[in-house]
Amino acid sequence: MGRRAFFSGQPANWMSLRQGLLWIFLVGLTGCGTADPPQFGLNRLAMRTGEVNEEHRQQIADILTAMFGTPDDPFMARAEQAANSDYDVSQDAFLATSGLDLAKLQMAAGSVASDRSGTGRGLFREHCVHCHGIGGDGLGPTAPFLNPYPRDYRQGKFKAKSTELAAKPTRDDLYGVLERGIPGTSMPSFKLLPSQEIDALVEYVKYLSLRGQTEVMLVNALFDLDEGEPIPLDQEFLVGEILSPLTATWEEAEEYVIHPPEPPEMEPEESIALGRELFQSAKANCVKCHGTLALGDGQRDDYDEWNRAYVDLKLEPSDIAAMGALPIRNIHPRNLRLGIYRFGRRPLDVYRRIHAGIAGTPMPGVGPATPGAEGTLTPDQIWHLVHYVRSLPYDELSPVGEPPSEVTRERL
Amino acid sequence: MTPAADGFAGHSPFITTFLNIGNYVTQQQHSSWPHWWAVLLCATAFPLIWVGGLVTTHDAGMAVPDWPTTYGYNLFLYPWQSWLFGPWDLFVEHGHRLLGAAVGLITLATACAVWRAETNSLVRGLAIALACLVVFQGVLGGLRVRLDARWLAQLHACVGPAFFALCVTMFVVTSRSWKNMSRTLPSEGSSGINSAASLALLLAYLQIVLGSFVRHASWDMLPALFRATVVLHVVLGIGLAGQASYVAWRVLWRRTSPRPQQAAAIAVVALLAAQLALGVAAWTVNYGLPFGWGQHGWLAGHLVTARGAWQSLLTTAHQANGSLILGTTTLIALFAWRESWNAGRESAPSTAVLNGATS
């Protein structure tokens, strides 16, 4: 902070004098100086599950800073490029491999400001950090109040995507979720921001994801090392084995976009009736979670992957709190009768959700796991489900007092 | 001496002087100039607080990177077209500076008017305090920009309402009702709400400070701390609503309370009811529905729109309304203190000595 050349147009000595006076006044006023520049924290869950020792933790933190820079300075592009002899890879190589656009990252990173034309900087800290946290770990100050919790980007898992379950979202997917927001959650719509600002934020989300995934890869790499052996710092390892493969998954996302065939040609009522049958069937098994009436009252004691990680550790609530994490929460299947789609409401979106499932959640896909393979259901059947699900908000529920099972049977 | 009165009777000569203005005025020509200046001051300081809140709501504090200049221009000479038709953040930030400067000048004018027309040393002292505080507040705002320090923005946000409360104080002590009070001492004596009103005032300010922690929560604030702050803010908010309503009831129940105090009592209840609703609304437009309401029925489709008109309006209104509540509780408390001092003086034989000490 304060490094910026705001005052460059004016005589330097006079400015520094004035600034000095301001400082003296300020320090006298409060007895404290400015805060340290923000740093990314370590992934404490990964450090714990990987049983990473203090030495390796420090090394991982250093490597990550060398590779990705700091919250103020992505890829250290602004820092004096003090040639770090430990690394035989330059900053530029990390940046180039990441495939990220530095100008966009710089617009999203750093502290909040805007210039005379209204172009903003520090967008992530202005719009996102209080929920998603400085490192995109979903641990911003407001997080404990929010349900679902803000997303932890560091696993690179996203729900509102057009791609297959295991694939990354496309740029358009992330852009879309920022533009639309996620209704029914606290994730806002940013449609009022200029598109280049949303673009910059999308790039920054990718950056934080890539960084978070790199961290986990580094932890995993420790298993191949001998006790006390440092992590290698060469190009072959850091770029070749870690960053490149990760970047590739982001770059090939387009290839995994789900393109459903045309819906079968039949009367809507017919398709809806078939969908209703499938919904209740053991094969699709939607009722297991969503309940026979699709009220979302099936299995309500499951977890999403972010919470499950802590469940699997079998920790006491106090230990979880000590790790700086949030209390474990269940995920609830959607009440499909409300007609609220969090991750896109077009038939195409709902198709993709049912085909691929929802990444990071228990909601499974019923389409083929890989293109060309055979899925639990055929594309036509998925379309029937789409039509049925989309008809649910207009479908009247059982009259009060009658036991639902009877009504359901009657209706089917 | 009535039990409620002992809070002030026989206490420091400063308070005695302050509360004793009426005695002088009865012998002195009353000038209404200071009062009208104070009215203007309150009427401009409140919008300033609103616009300041807008700066925070839109995180526009750094939309102008230099200070006291605006993009190199003298504050008052920045081209008005670029200001009015420029980007929103710049519009808000530069507008806040212009309004701030105007309030600064009005404060100085008020201080001069008071200095010339008033003889009471505490009212004069208040004039000086107001002038100093407005300069201090301006410099704080400037430092917030020069150092790009968000914690200074928060401090600036806490000083603003305190300044407004002092403006209200000036408005009260220059008013005719205040000066006439010693003559119209209610027959049943003090209202006895001295300490209850003080507590309400304290809570009102504490709420503003807590609210500033919610609004200025920095990226590194621990989630648990934020949660504790919000919970405390809500609990104290309800407490304040109860306390202030109790005070208002006591003021209104006794028909003979001074008119301005009665008006403030009605106002504070209305403002508090609005404030509780605004608080829930502000939360909803920023973070979604509270208490899991968002899981049910049509509420489940609630969508937060960042930087939307509702977000901007409701959040800023909640913030600004806090200052109005502080202002009205200040007014109620001032009259209560005054009355309790008057009542104490009626029954305390040492009054003559105290009065003597002030002349």
Side-chain angles (χ1 to χ4, degrees):
Chain A
M1 275 176 241
R3 242 186 295 145
R4 258 170 258 122
F6 284 150
F7 321 109
S8 50
Q10 307 186 28
N13 48 355
W14 152 232
M15 283 318 296
S16 55
L17 178 70
R18 262 214 296 191
Q19 221 155 14
L21 286 176
L22 282 172
W23 267 104
I24 291 167
F25 173 71
L26 181 76
V27 172
L29 186 76
T30 62
C32 67
T34 47
D36 292 334
Q39 295 295 331
F40 291 122
L42 280 176
N43 183 337
R44 294 167 76 174
L45 182 67
M47 296 302 144
R48 188 180 173 121
T49 45
E51 292 172 4
V52 183
N53 64 29
E54 210 40 61
E55 230 167 285
H56 277 144
R57 283 181 194 212
Q58 189 53 50
Q59 214 200 342
I60 289 176
D62 292 345
I63 293 176
L64 285 170
T65 306
M67 289 177 80
F68 289 94
T70 65
D72 278 340
D73 189 4
F75 293 103
M76 307 278 242
R78 290 194 175 112
E80 270 111 81
Q81 293 266 359
N84 193 335
S85 52
D86 293 345
Y87 299 83
D88 71 353
V89 199
S90 73
Q91 217 73 57
D92 298 340
F94 291 128
L95 173 60
T97 312
S98 76
L100 296 167
D101 181 333
L102 185 63
K104 288 181 183 171
L105 293 179
Q106 286 177 336
M107 201 169 155
S111 55
V112 185
S114 58
D115 67 16
R116 219 164 161 173
S117 66
T119 310
R121 278 181 292 118
L123 298 171
F124 190 76
R125 252 173 261 175
E126 176 172 358
H127 297 291
C128 324
V129 81
H130 52 287
C131 293
H132 289 284
I134 193 99
D137 54 7
L139 288 172
T142 64
F145 285 106
L146 310 182
N147 192 0
Y149 289 136
R151 182 63 43 77
D152 176 352
Y153 309 138
R154 296 173 306 175
Q155 292 77 9
K157 286 216 167 83
F158 297 90
K159 299 180 182 177
K161 61 187 183 188
S162 58
T163 53
E164 297 289 350
L165 187 65
K168 291 281 166 276
T170 64
R171 193 210 73 96
D172 287 352
D173 289 340
L174 288 176
Y175 190 99
V177 83
L178 289 195
E179 195 177 36
R180 284 191 315 270
I182 306 184
T185 78
S186 41
M187 170 68 193
S189 155
F190 291 93
K191 63 175 182 229
L192 297 175
L193 299 193
S195 62
Q196 79 266 26
E197 294 193 1
I198 303 185
D199 263 336
L201 286 161
V202 166
E203 201 72 358
Y204 201 70
V205 169
K206 280 187 175 176
Y207 164 77
L208 291 176
S209 283
L210 206 53
R211 189 186 171 284
Q213 289 179 283
T214 303
E215 182 170 8
V216 173
M217 294 272 275
L218 288 172
V219 170
N220 292 342
L222 292 176
F223 293 116
D224 299 336
L225 295 179
D226 292 330
E227 183 77 26
E229 191 185 338
I231 301 169
L233 300 177
D234 52 294
Q235 165 119 14
E236 197 184 326
F237 178 71
L238 292 180
V239 172
E241 282 180 41
I242 305 246
L243 198 51
S244 277
L246 284 177
T247 313
T249 61
W250 283 91
E251 277 168 359
E252 63 205 19
E254 294 291 347
E255 294 166 26
Y256 292 98
V257 173
I258 301 162
H259 298 289
E262 288 295 304
E265 281 187 33
M266 59 170 73
E267 288 301 310
E269 293 78 29
E270 218 177 310
S271 178
I272 290 171
L274 288 170
R276 180 183 294 136
E277 232 166 87
L278 281 164
F279 193 86
Q280 306 287 343
S281 71
K283 201 170 178 198
N285 209 14
C286 311
V287 288
K288 176 190 164 215
C289 300
H290 292 281
T292 30
L293 292 177
L295 287 168
D297 53 356
Q299 181 175 9
R300 287 173 70 82
D301 58 358
D302 212 343
Y303 306 95
D304 65 21
E305 289 181 18
W306 294 273
N307 282 280
R308 177 164 297 288
Y310 290 93
V311 176
D312 290 347
L313 279 181
K314 299 198 172 55
L315 293 172
E316 292 295 315
S318 56
D319 292 336
I320 294 177
M323 282 176 73
L326 302 166
I328 291 173
R329 267 208 199 125
N330 292 115
I331 187 165
H332 295 161
R334 192 86 65 252
N335 174 352
L336 297 173
R337 289 190 180 259
L338 295 174
I340 308 292
Y341 302 99
R342 291 187 179 174
F343 313 122
R345 54 176 307 111
R346 297 170 306 167
L348 175 63
D349 299 319
V350 181
Y351 183 99
R352 285 170 171 159
R353 233 59 341 117
I354 298 175
H355 167 101
I358 301 177
T361 81
M363 161 96 183
V366 290
T370 51
E374 199 173 327
T376 315
L377 300 183
T378 66
D380 278 1
Q381 288 174 315
I382 297 176
W383 275 120
H384 299 322
L385 276 173
V386 171
H387 295 146
Y388 171 63
V389 165
R390 286 177 48 91
S391 76
L392 277 167
Y394 311 100
D395 181 64
E396 276 180 31
L397 257 189
S398 56
V400 184
E402 252 173 282
S405 55
E406 208 181 298
V407 181
T408 326
R409 217 176 304 130
E410 194 179 290
R411 301 173 68 99
L412 290 175
Chain B
M1 193 193 295
T2 61
D6 59 16
F8 280 96
H11 273 212
S12 98
F14 289 108
I15 293 171
T16 311
T17 321
F18 197 37
L19 298 168
N20 199 24
I21 314 151
N23 290 20
Y24 290 87
V25 177
T26 46
Q27 304 142 21
Q28 237 179 31
Q29 193 59 0
H30 169 74
S31 161
S32 54
W33 276 110
H35 187 57
W36 285 116
W37 275 111
V39 169
L40 181 65
L41 182 57
C42 291
T44 45
F46 179 64
L48 178 60
I49 283 177
W50 184 291
V51 178
L54 215 50
V55 172
T56 299
T57 306
H58 288 268
D59 214 331
M62 293 304 292
V64 179
D66 50 344
W67 182 87
T69 46
T70 291
Y71 284 107
Y73 284 90
N74 175 304
L75 172 64
F76 299 104
L77 300 181
Y78 186 71
W80 61 272
Q81 299 94 330
S82 325
W83 171 48
L84 288 182
F85 305 116
W88 170 255
D89 282 7
L90 177 79
F91 171 72
V92 173
E93 168 64 14
H94 185 65
H96 182 56
R97 292 181 181 194
L98 283 176
L99 194 53
V103 167
L105 295 175
I106 294 170
T107 310
L108 297 182
T110 311
C112 289
V114 168
W115 189 263
R116 289 189 51 180
E118 295 281 350
T119 48
N120 180 285
S121 55
L122 266 175
V123 179
R124 283 178 146 204
L126 179 64
I128 293 179
L130 265 177
C132 293
L133 196 59
V134 87
V135 171
F136 176 72
Q137 174 73 339
V139 172
L140 266 188
L143 284 176
R144 179 264 176 270
V145 171
R146 290 292 291 269
L147 305 173
D148 190 3
R150 301 181 76 94
W151 66 271
L152 277 178
Q154 186 178 350
L155 186 59
H156 185 66
C158 292
V159 173
F163 173 75
F164 181 64
L166 281 192
C167 294
V168 171
T169 306
M170 184 56 94
F171 165 79
V172 169
V173 301
T174 53
S175 73
R176 211 171 263 282
S177 348
W178 180 265
K179 299 189 177 201
N180 288 342
M181 251 187 95
S182 58
R183 280 182 274 168
T184 59
L185 194 66
S187 48
E188 66 263 48
S190 157
S191 63
I193 55 166
N194 194 2
S195 37
S198 309
L199 180 61
L201 178 59
L202 183 74
L203 284 177
Y205 191 67
L206 208 58
Q207 273 299 80
I208 286 174
V209 173
L210 281 171
S212 80
F213 275 96
V214 177
R215 268 165 72 74
H216 295 257
S218 77
W219 62 268
D220 58 348
M221 187 174 189
L222 285 177
L225 186 60
F226 182 81
R227 180 166 50 187
T229 309
V230 171
V231 169
L232 196 60
H233 188 57
V234 171
V235 170
L236 278 192
I238 294 167
L240 168 62
Q243 181 68 18
S245 306
Y246 166 72
V247 170
W249 173 70
R250 290 285 299 269
V251 167
L252 295 170
W253 175 71
R254 191 189 56 147
R255 294 277 160 75
T256 47
S257 298
R259 272 294 182 73
Q261 201 187 23
Q262 290 189 17
I266 294 172
V268 83
V269 173
L271 291 173
L272 277 163
Q275 187 70 338
L276 293 179
L278 280 173
V280 175
W283 183 271
T284 304
V285 294
N286 280 286
Y287 307 127
L289 287 145
F291 317 119
W293 290 345
Q295 314 292 315
H296 309 290
W298 55 275
L299 292 178
H302 174 77
L303 176 66
V304 177
T305 305
R307 295 290 180 270
W310 285 116
Q311 193 181 68
S312 167
L313 196 70
L314 292 170
T315 313
T316 314
H318 182 62
Q319 173 269 158
N321 197 29
S323 288
L324 279 189
I325 291 170
L326 182 71
T328 39
T329 43
T330 302
L331 192 149
I332 294 174
L334 283 170
F335 278 99
W337 293 339
R338 175 72 189 278
E339 241 184 73
S340 107
W341 184 83
N342 272 1
R345 198 191 43 171
E346 294 281 293
S347 51
S350 59
T351 314
V353 181
L354 288 171
N355 276 350
T358 62
S359 38

